[in-house]
Structure formats: C-alpha cells, structure tokens
C-alpha cells in the first residue's frame, strides 16, 4: 500500500510525463486542467526542464512543434476551447511526423460552455480537428492510475510512430484524486535521425507542392504508419461480458458509471457487461464486433449527444441493434438512468 | 467630496442584481463607471463585447446588448459589430490575459485600424478567472500559481505596458491609464471612460482606457491591502495619466 | 462490505475540500479504496464548496456521488442543498454553530455537532472541519481510525502547516468525544 499516493488526475498525468522524460512543457491556463501547468511550473525546473506559460494555446502547440523538431520529448495540455486552438498546430505536427503528447481535460461545449467534465470532443479527437488527411492516436483513461499509465505510454507511442498522441480525459478525471502508483519508465530508446540540430541538415516541413510525386506520396507514407498503428495499437477492456445479454459500450468517466450500473443490474438478475475502448483511435472495431456476438443489444453511453455511437455502429455494421443514452453539457449520467434504459429491454 | 456620491449612485444602465465578484474586486466598480457614463451621454443602446475572464457575465449586470467573444477575440468581434452597426456604441471590455496574451494580435490590429470602438482594459496583474496564473502584466517578483517563486524577468520578461504599446500606433485618438483603488482615482477613471465613449459617439475613432484593478482573491490579500498593493507596486510601474488625446 | 459515499459541504473558506482529502488519505493508509472529487472553478467563487469522497472495500466504480450515504454540512445553504439527496437510512452531521434550522428528514440519522464551538474552545477559529471529521470517525469507525487520521494530517498537509496539527488533532478528538 505504501507506494500509493493520493493524487489529483491532473497532477498524476504531469508527474507521469516527467517520469517519461518529458522536459519541455508549454501551456496556457484553462480550467479544469490548470493543475497540469501549475505542477509543471514547479516540477520541471527541479528536474532541469523548461516550463513556459505561452501567450495562447496556438503559441503553446507551436512551441511544442519547435521542441519536438529537435527530438526532445515535449507536451502541452489544455481543455476543449484551448484544444480547438491547437488543431492547426496538430495538423502541422502530423504533417511533419513530429511526436508529441497533448492532453485534453475536456469540458462542456460548444463555445465557452462550462468547466464540468464532458465527452463532447470525441469527434474532434478522433476525426482530426485540424485540416488535412491525418490521424492522431487517442487514448481515453478512466481513472487516475490509467491517466498516469497512459500518459507515460503516450510518449513511447508518439516516438515509436512519430505521431501526435492525444490523451482524452475529462474535467471529472482531471479534478478527481485517487490512489496512484506512479509508473516506471519503459527505458525504450528511439531513433531520432530526423531531428534538427544533430548535424544532418535535416528539414522539418510540410509544404509539398507537387501532387504526383510529392504530397500524394507523403500521404501514403503517413497512411502506412496509420495502418501499422491500427493493427498494433488497440486497447480496450471487457468487463462481465461472458454471460451478458446486453453490452454497454462507454469510455472514460461514463464507463465508470456503467460499471456501477452493471453491479446493480446484475443484483436484479439482468446480465450485462461492458466493452470499454481505451484507444479511441484506432477504435477497436473488430474486438467490439466479436464481443457483441450473441448479445441482444448494445447500449452506448456517453457524456454527449452521441459521438462514439457512430463508431460502435460502424463496428457492428447492423449485426445487432445499437441504442444510445447520453447527457451533454457537462452532466454525468446517473447509474439509475442507465439501469432504467436496460430494464426497458427486458 | 460631493462628487463621490455620484460615483456610487445607482445607474439606470446597471441591473438591480448582485454580481458574482469577490469582496474588494474592482470589476464591479468599472461596470458602474461605464453604466454611469452611458447614462450621462444619453446612450441607451450600447453593445458590450464581453471578454473571457471574470467579467464574462458583464452582460448580466448591465442593461445593454451583450456579445460574448472567444478568449482574446473581443476587438475583432467588436470590429465586426461596429462595421455593421456604425451608429451604435460598441465597447470591448477585457482583462489582461485576454487583451495582452491571447488577444494581443486582435488588440494591436483593431487599434492600428483605428476602429471607432472603445476598449476598456481591466489590468489586475493576474488571471483572475482561472485561479491566479501569471499574466502579461504580473509584476516582477509577484507570486502566482505558475510563477510560484515570483515572476522572474530573466525567464519570462517584464510586464507589458499596454498604453505605451498602443501609443506607438498612429490611429488611436485617445489613450489613458487610470486606477480605481480609491475615490479620487475612481473619479478620474470615470472621466476617462466617459471621454472614451464620447469620442466614439462623435465618430472620432479608437479609444483605449486601461484601468488598474484589484484581484484580492488571487493576490492573497485583503481588499484593503490589495488597494495598497496596487498603489505601492503597480502605479510606479504603470504610470497613470493621459498618453494621447487628439484634442489636446 | 464498506461502501460509503460522503459529501462534505460548506462555505469556501471552511476547509471542506481539504478535510475530505485528509479523510481519503487516512482510509487509503488502511488499504481501502478511495476517491475524492472537489467542486471547482467558478462554482467556488463566493459561494459554497463541496467534495465527494467515496471509501470502499472494493474498487470504486463511480466516484461521482449522486446520492450520498453520509453528508457533513458546515453551513446552511449546504444543508438546504444536500439534505434532500441523502440516501434513506443515511447519516447527516450538521454544524449547529452555523446552522440555525433543524434538519427535516426523519428517515436518516442526524447528528448535531457545534463544530465551530468545539474548534474555538480548543484555541482555533479554523478547525471546524476537523471537529466534523472527529464526529464522523466516531459515527462511522470503519472509515478510518483516529491514528490513520493523524498520519494523514502529516502526510496530506504541506510541512509549513504542520504547526497547526496539534490543535487539529485535539479538535478531532473533541469532535469524536462529542458523539456518544
Ligand atoms: C481559448 C481559451 N483559453 C483559455 C481559456 C481559459 N480562461 C478563461 S478566463 C482566462 C483569463 C482570465 O484572465 P484575465 O483576462 O486577466 O481576466 P480576469 O479574470 O483577471 O479579469 C483564461 C485563460 C478560455 N476560456 N479559452
Ligand atoms: S477572482 Fe479576482 S478578478 Fe475575479 S472576481 Fe475575484 S477578485 Fe475579481
Ligand atoms: Mg486579469
């Protein structure tokens, strides 16, 4: 027990980034993720790193672009409105195949919205909020421990595939404190021959004027990486599915509510379990399809008007009915509402 | 000091409701000064562009139309409104994070175009709404949640002086820095704000009023000590006075 | 099987969020599963603050508390807000030093604790939250022991505030003794 520390999600993520060797953090204040820059402003100088409070989220992501082009591990974090501003930079990072980690402690939207946790940024995260033909790896933790573990792993994934890795958390997770065992660094080493400043006259750029032998070719290079990620990086959790009649599908905070609803439904004799995607891109389509075999129905639960449900439908492709329950605007579904919906299937 | 009563009387342009501001916060004072100035100028249909900052709900406290801009974009939104409704008074109300950090580009360019708008800049040397992070106007040595050992000029530079910066541009017609930490200064602030609104009414062009303000909550001071800190620390760095008045 | 969903609520400055965190640390020290979520941001300006703490033997599914099993309220607006939400058969501890009305629920167990008075008579104007914690530990001894709570006070509070701990501990004990 002794190595467990009660940590706020935001702080656990920040410390995990430092353990991963991230020494450059650039960010801008926004609730509910302020503990990340605040923690970094104190901790990074202690470990010889650099913290800059940028003048905007746009500046912050471009500072990351600069730091990452030297091969250094760097990151930024924000919440929904700020992540919108980072989309331009993310597109440029993706084009130049620069690795970095971006944490979104998302909140209610659209617009200024509110500061409560929300899952309204699924489309933005998984469909590429910026312009052009690119992908980012999207990881969706559901508790503080997983937030720390995935943040650490995100740096390895970013370096391995030279991609932007987005952690999609939410305000509840960022603000929540839970016991955390800080993860150990993997120790993996990555080749960074492409970086500037290592005497190779490297270029980090994304302007490729010619379609035929230029940009189109580059797009296929990216596609090859994305295909590889799709086969190699799929994470999900199955819970109580073996004998289940109904499958709940949810990620992040809403999966936690589902877990509670499952316990209560099973007490009432209704067999239900869940499938929790942890990588939202790549989405575990095949695994969800397999898990849904023999079930009567899927209920997708989100803190939104229904975004991931589109991927769920793609996964099962009409083979079983997919229902949706969601609540937008920074509200969290109650277990009772989920229970009531499932009971209505009986 | 019979004038001081004027400062605190209820103004028809203010709503009869309590604000959400902390004790000793000067946002409410600045709201009142704007409301009174509008009343005295006979303006009943002004449009305020609210910032993203503690004053985001300004449109709930004043009887006027309100448009809420994204963080830092108020001068651009105000430009759009003014170009359509050129006969309406358009006010851009902004904090230091909003105006000098994320919105510096919009600020400079609206001023440089000489948009016929009034910008009220509330400088409280901190990010109030997000819980006390360092702002572009945070004083050297001032402790904030992102400068926990105090602002270090070597690393992050010195505070930006907005009036002086805007004073390098040709088009603005009126630039003044005032404070609202005591009665006498509030009166001067009122005069400046009214002048800045009158300029717009008369079609003169871009007016900019910087109001030195308090944030006792995030400065970690009592309201009284916050007024003192403003006077002792901020005013020496941010000199009060008029930088430009085209009629002068 | 222990599974308590606790809400601590009061005015911004009454220390309800830190009291919740200390309780969570104390329970964690005893090997229990815990979670803590504060109200945050604009919600806190001027008004009331609260936190939700879950303490359980089994892993905690949802850390969000819709229907608390235990409510500790230090001011009247919090009593108004949370009394109706308490689960049937649950527990309400309210700060009678600051709350003038009596709770109305009859399907819960109510404890009236003069938290501020207990704090002040032990030499602190700031430890009402600790008096409430003391009372809570007596009412629900399975949450954590007084010893674990003392450990939490030293591990969960930054060192420069450790000087207040002797009084904090005294106030916790007095709150504990107040319940019989
Ligand atoms: C794009 C974006 N980034 C960040 C924020 C978070 N945010 C809200 S208010 C604010 C700054 C507030 O400081 P200031 O402008 O000085 O106003 P004050 O509250 O001090 O009056 C920030 C960064 C946001 N809402 N949108
Ligand atoms: S946080 Fe500061 S700026 Fe915001 S309302 Fe309170 S005192 Fe005013
Ligand atoms: Mg400010």
């Amino acid at each position: 027990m002794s190595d467990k520390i009660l940590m706020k999600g935001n702080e656990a993520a920040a410390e995990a980034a430092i353990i991963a060797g991230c020494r450059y953090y650039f960010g801008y204040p926004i609730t509910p993720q302020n503990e990340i820059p605040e923690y970094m402003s104190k901790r990074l100088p202690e470990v010889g790193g650099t913290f800059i409070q940028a003048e905007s989220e746009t500046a912050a992501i471009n500072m990351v672009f600069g730091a990452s082009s030297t091969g250094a591990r760097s990151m930024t974090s924000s919440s929904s409105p700020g992540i919108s501003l980072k989309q331009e930079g993310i597109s440029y990072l993706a084009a130049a195949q620069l690795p970095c980690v971006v944490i979104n402690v998302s909140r209610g939207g659209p617009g200024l919205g509110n500061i409560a946790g929300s899952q309204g940024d699924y489309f933005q995260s998984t469909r590429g909020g910026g312009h052009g033909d690119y992908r980012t790896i999207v990881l969706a933790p559901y508790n503080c421990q997983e937030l720390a573990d995935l943040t650490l792993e995100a740096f390895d994934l970013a370096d391995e595939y030279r991609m932007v890795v987005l952690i999609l958390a939410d305000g509840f997770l960022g603000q929540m404190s839970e016991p955390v065992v800080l993860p150990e660094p993997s120790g993996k080493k990555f080749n960074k021959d492409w970086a500037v400043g290592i005497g190779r006259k490297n270029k980090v750029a994304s302007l490729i004027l010619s379609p035929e032998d230029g940009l189109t070719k580059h797009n296929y290079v990216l596609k090859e990486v994305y295909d590889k990620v799709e086969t190699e990086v799929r994470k999900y959790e199955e819970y109580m599915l073996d004998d289940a009649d109904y499958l709940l599908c949810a990620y992040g905070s809403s999966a936690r509510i589902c877990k509670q609803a499952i316990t209560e439904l099973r007490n009432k004799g209704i067999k239900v379990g869940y499938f929790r995607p942890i990588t939202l891109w790549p989405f575990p389509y095949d695994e969800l399809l397999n898990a849904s075999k023999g079930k009567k129905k899927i209920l997708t639960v989100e803190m939104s008007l229904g975004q991931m449900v589109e991927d769920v439908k793609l996964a099962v492709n009409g083979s079983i009915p997919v229902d949706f329950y969601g609540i937008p605007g920074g509200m969290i579904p109650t277990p009772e509402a989920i229970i009531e919906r499932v009971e209505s299937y009986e | 000091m019979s004038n001081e009563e004027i400062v605190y009387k209820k103004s028809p342009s203010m709503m009869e409701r309590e604000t959400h501001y902390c004790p000793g916060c000067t946002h409410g004072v600045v709201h009142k000064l704007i409301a009174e100035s509008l009343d005295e100028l006979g303006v009943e249909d002004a449009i305020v562009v609210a910032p993203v900052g503690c004053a985001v709900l300004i449109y709930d406290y004043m009887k006027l139309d309100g448009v809420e801009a994204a963080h830092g974009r108020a001068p651009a939104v105000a430009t759009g409104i003014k170009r359509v409704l050129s006969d309406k008074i358009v006010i851009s109300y902004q904090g230091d994070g909003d105006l000098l950090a994320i919105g510096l580009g919009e600020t400079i360019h609206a001023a440089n175009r000489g948009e016929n708008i009034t910008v009220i800049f509330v400088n409280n040397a901190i990010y109030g709404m997000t819980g006390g992070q360092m702002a572009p106007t945070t004083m050297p040595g001032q402790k904030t949640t992102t400068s926990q050992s105090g602002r270090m000029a070597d690393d992050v530079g010195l505070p930006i002086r907005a009036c002086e910066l805007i004073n390098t541009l040709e088009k603005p017609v009126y630039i003044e820095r005032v404070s609202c930490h005591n009665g006498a200064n509030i009166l001067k602030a009122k005069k400046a704000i009214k002048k800045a609104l009158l300029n717009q009414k008369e079609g003169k062009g871009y007016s900019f009023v910087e109001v030195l303000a308090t944030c006792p909550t995030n400065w970690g001071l009592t309201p009284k000590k916050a007024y003192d800190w403003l006077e002792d620390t901020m005013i020496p760095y941010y000199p009060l006075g008029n930088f430009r008045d085209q009629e002068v | 099987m222990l599974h308590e969903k606790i809400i601590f609520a009061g005015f911004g400055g009454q220390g309800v969020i830190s009291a919740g965190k200390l309780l969570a640390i104390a329970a964690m020290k005893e090997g229990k599963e815990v979670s803590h979520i504060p109200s945050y941001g604009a919600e806190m300006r001027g008004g009331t603050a609260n936190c939700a703490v879950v303490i359980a033997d089994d892993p905690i599914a949802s850390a969000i508390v819709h229907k608390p099993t235990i409510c500790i309220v230090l001011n009247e607006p919090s009593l108004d807000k949370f009394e109706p939400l308490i689960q049937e058969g649950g527990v309400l501890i309210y700060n009678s030093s600051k709350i003038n009305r009596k709770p109305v629920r009859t399907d819960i167990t109510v404890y009236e604790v003069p938290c501020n008075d207990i704090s002040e008579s032990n030499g602190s104007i700031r430890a009402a939250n600790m008096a409430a914690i003391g009372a809570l530990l007596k009412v629900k001894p399975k949450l954590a022991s007084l010893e674990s709570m003392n450990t939490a006070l030293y591990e969960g509070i930054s060192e420069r505030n450790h000087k207040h701990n002797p009084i904090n501990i005294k106030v916790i004990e007095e709150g504990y003794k107040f319940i019989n």
Side-chain angles (χ1 to χ4, degrees):
Chain A
M1 283 315 133
S2 58
D3 46 357
K4 276 190 184 173
I5 322 168
L6 190 74
M7 280 186 108
K8 221 175 209 200
N10 284 334
E11 290 169 353
E15 186 57 38
I18 287 171
I19 294 169
C22 171
R23 291 294 175 270
Y24 299 89
Y25 174 93
F26 310 100
Y28 187 78
I30 186 167
T31 314
Q33 62 88 53
N34 286 321
E35 292 80 6
I36 300 179
E38 287 168 359
Y39 191 92
M40 288 303 204
S41 74
K42 193 156 178 278
R43 270 293 273 149
L44 273 172
E46 290 172 5
V47 294
T50 296
F51 162 87
I52 292 184
Q53 182 178 311
E55 64 272 30
S56 68
E57 291 85 352
T58 312
I61 189 77
N62 284 291
M63 290 174 186
V64 168
F65 188 100
S68 173
S69 67
T70 72
R73 282 193 160 177
S74 73
M75 73 171 289
T76 184
S77 65
S78 190
S79 179
S80 310
I83 296 291
S84 290
L85 284 176
K86 292 188 197 291
Q87 295 304 331
E88 178 195 59
I90 291 173
S91 166
Y92 281 71
L93 282 149
Q97 291 187 278
L98 291 178
C100 77
V101 174
V102 177
I103 302 183
N104 180 2
V105 185
S106 71
R107 59 187 236 180
L112 204 48
N114 63 27
I115 56 174
S118 163
Q119 296 184 326
D121 294 355
Y122 183 93
F123 285 153
Q124 184 196 55
S125 310
T126 60
R127 300 303 191 261
H131 63 283
D133 230 343
Y134 76 94
R135 291 289 190 180
T136 53
I137 296 173
V138 184
L139 307 174
Y142 86 141
N143 62 23
C144 294
Q145 182 66 55
E146 207 175 60
L147 176 53
D149 294 345
L150 288 177
T151 302
L152 183 101
E153 192 179 345
F155 283 94
D156 280 353
L157 290 171
D159 279 346
E160 182 161 354
Y161 298 104
R162 295 180 57 187
M163 282 179 73
V164 176
V165 180
L166 184 76
I167 309 260
L168 184 59
D170 67 57
F172 298 115
L173 194 47
Q175 292 299 317
M176 179 189 305
S177 297
E178 287 181 314
V180 172
V181 180
L182 288 170
E184 298 281 333
S186 72
K188 284 189 197 159
K189 293 270 176 287
F190 298 92
N191 173 7
K192 297 201 172 176
D193 281 352
W194 44 264
V196 298
I198 55 171
R200 294 173 62 110
K201 306 270 177 271
N202 281 335
K203 269 185 306 203
V204 173
S206 66
L207 175 72
I208 309 175
L209 287 174
S210 148
E212 300 87 354
D213 48 40
L215 186 55
T216 305
K217 220 167 92 194
H218 179 58
N219 285 143
Y220 282 122
V221 169
L222 296 179
K223 168 89 165 87
E224 217 169 285
V225 177
Y226 301 155
D227 286 348
K228 203 158 171 264
V229 173
E230 278 200 271
T231 53
E232 293 174 359
V233 190
R234 288 179 182 224
K235 291 175 183 289
Y236 57 94
E237 183 205 7
E238 292 182 345
Y239 178 69
M240 299 217 155
L241 277 179
D242 287 350
D243 65 342
D245 289 327
Y246 305 106
L247 182 154
L248 303 182
C249 189
Y251 69 98
S253 289
S254 46
R256 296 178 66 132
I257 310 291
C258 287
K259 214 168 199 173
Q260 187 171 333
I262 288 166
T263 309
E264 293 177 32
L265 280 162
R266 283 195 171 254
N267 286 341
K268 294 179 175 204
I270 301 176
K271 289 182 188 148
V272 42
Y274 81 40
F275 184 94
R276 176 170 72 91
I278 298 172
T279 51
L280 301 183
W281 194 88
F283 191 86
Y285 290 112
D286 300 340
E287 293 79 358
L288 175 56
L289 177 63
N290 280 337
S292 72
K293 296 242 165 79
K295 310 293 178 233
K296 291 181 184 161
K297 198 184 273 231
I298 295 180
L299 174 62
T300 306
V301 179
E302 297 177 61
M303 285 142 57
S304 77
L305 290 172
Q307 301 194 7
M308 184 182 74
V309 65
E310 296 192 1
D311 276 329
V312 174
K313 285 180 178 165
L314 282 174
V316 301
N317 198 16
S319 62
I320 87 167
V322 175
D323 191 13
F324 172 74
Y325 177 81
I327 183 157
M331 295 282 288
I332 200 152
T334 61
E336 288 73 25
I338 298 167
I339 291 165
E340 196 181 309
R341 180 67 66 90
V342 174
E343 280 178 328
S344 77
Y345 303 153
E346 288 280 285
Chain B
M1 293 286 274
S2 64
N3 275 340
E4 235 169 332
E5 283 156 34
I6 299 171
V7 173
Y8 287 105
K9 102 173 169 222
K10 277 213 183 77
S11 145
S13 289
M14 283 298 284
M15 301 269 217
E16 306 265 330
R17 74 190 297 185
E18 257 185 59
T19 66
H20 69 289
Y21 300 119
C22 310
C25 175
T26 42
H27 270 302
V29 175
V30 182
H31 292 7
K32 257 188 221 161
L33 299 182
I34 296 172
E36 287 168 8
S37 302
L38 290 171
D39 292 341
E40 289 166 28
L41 293 171
V43 177
E44 286 177 359
D45 55 358
I47 300 167
V48 67
V49 183
V52 173
C54 276
V56 62
L57 295 176
I58 184 170
Y59 43 68
D60 282 348
Y61 305 137
M62 299 182 68
K63 283 184 202 146
L64 33 67
D65 286 348
V67 177
E68 183 188 288
H71 190 28
R73 315 303 177 208
V77 173
T79 297
I81 298 169
K82 188 73 186 186
R83 292 290 175 123
V84 179
L85 301 173
S86 55
D87 59 336
K88 295 273 189 281
I89 296 292
V90 180
I91 303 164
S92 179
Y93 185 110
Q94 300 178 260
D96 38 280
D98 197 79
L99 186 135
L100 280 179
I102 193 167
L104 185 59
E106 284 78 358
T107 293
I108 292 292
H109 287 280
N112 192 51
R113 288 191 303 270
E115 291 296 335
N116 186 26
I117 59 173
T118 304
V119 177
I120 307 293
F121 169 40
V122 179
N123 176 2
N124 59 9
I126 204 144
Y127 284 59
M129 183 178 228
T130 41
Q133 295 81 11
M134 191 186 73
T137 51
T138 290
M139 297 303 296
Q142 185 184 338
K143 287 187 178 152
T144 71
T145 60
T146 50
S147 59
Q148 293 183 33
S149 335
R151 179 182 185 136
M152 286 186 290
D154 283 354
D155 191 36
V156 299
L158 286 161
I160 299 176
R161 296 185 178 100
C163 288
E164 288 82 342
L165 198 60
I166 287 171
N167 202 22
T168 62
L169 305 171
E170 290 294 324
K171 284 260 194 124
V173 295
Y174 185 78
I175 304 166
E176 179 145 341
R177 184 182 289 122
V178 294
S179 177
C180 58
H181 68 294
N182 60 29
N185 277 285
I186 289 173
L187 283 180
K188 286 188 201 156
K190 162 80 181 293
K191 250 171 117 181
I193 289 171
K194 190 168 164 186
K195 182 75 205 302
L197 290 166
L198 180 66
N199 287 341
Q200 185 181 164
K201 200 174 170 214
E202 292 176 346
K204 286 194 179 142
Y206 182 91
S207 296
F208 184 87
V209 179
E210 172 173 349
V211 187
L212 300 186
T214 58
C215 177
T217 300
N218 288 304
W219 293 357
L221 298 175
T222 61
K224 163 82 179 69
K225 286 201 173 129
Y227 298 133
D228 293 345
W229 190 83
L230 187 161
E231 174 147 338
D232 299 340
T233 314
M234 289 179 74
I235 291 181
Y237 188 90
Y238 299 112
L240 303 181
N242 184 269
F243 291 81
R244 186 180 302 176
D245 186 347
Q246 275 203 336
E247 277 169 352
V248 173
Chain C
M1 199 64 91
L2 180 70
H3 192 111
E4 298 288 3
K5 297 178 278 181
I6 309 161
I7 298 251
F8 276 90
F11 284 126
Q14 284 179 310
V16 289
I17 291 174
S18 53
K21 200 145 188 176
L22 291 171
L23 177 68
I25 293 173
M28 177 180 79
K29 291 282 156 202
E30 297 183 0
K32 293 174 181 112
E33 299 288 339
V34 302
S35 66
H36 172 276
I37 302 187
S39 59
Y40 58 91
E43 235 184 287
M44 287 170 68
R45 288 241 194 296
T48 59
N50 67 75
C51 68
V53 177
V54 181
I55 298 177
D57 285 332
D58 284 344
I60 296 161
S62 169
I64 307 280
V65 172
H66 293 105
K67 285 191 198 153
T69 55
I70 302 172
C71 246
I72 298 146
V73 295
L74 298 189
N75 68 350
E76 199 154 323
S78 301
L79 177 64
D80 296 345
K81 181 168 174 195
F82 291 107
E83 184 185 357
L85 303 182
I86 302 171
Q87 241 176 52
E88 217 182 292
V91 164
L92 168 67
I93 297 174
Y94 78 101
N95 177 12
S96 54
S97 313
K98 295 279 171 196
I99 299 175
N100 292 322
R101 80 166 173 88
K102 295 251 181 269
V104 294
R105 294 270 301 265
T106 53
D107 57 344
I108 55 175
T109 315
V110 175
Y111 297 89
E112 174 184 327
V113 182
C115 301
N116 287 74
D117 298 316
I118 293 176
S119 169
E120 277 160 38
S121 61
N122 286 283
S124 170
I125 51 164
R126 289 179 184 275
N129 56 347
M130 295 296 131
I133 289 267
L136 173 66
L137 294 181
K138 181 70 175 286
V139 173
K140 292 279 179 182
K142 280 192 183 152
L143 293 175
S145 66
L146 284 177
E147 295 76 61
S148 305
M149 194 61 208
N150 291 355
T151 314
L153 278 172
Y154 284 93
E155 288 187 16
I157 292 182
S158 68
E159 227 160 276
R160 73 191 147 86
N161 288 324
H162 284 183
K163 57 179 185 282
H164 303 302
N165 276 346
I167 288 192
N168 284 336
I169 290 169
K170 186 87 199 347
V171 175
I172 292 174
E173 281 166 5
E174 292 302 315
Y176 189 90
K177 281 191 219 148
F178 186 83
I179 307 284
N180 38 45

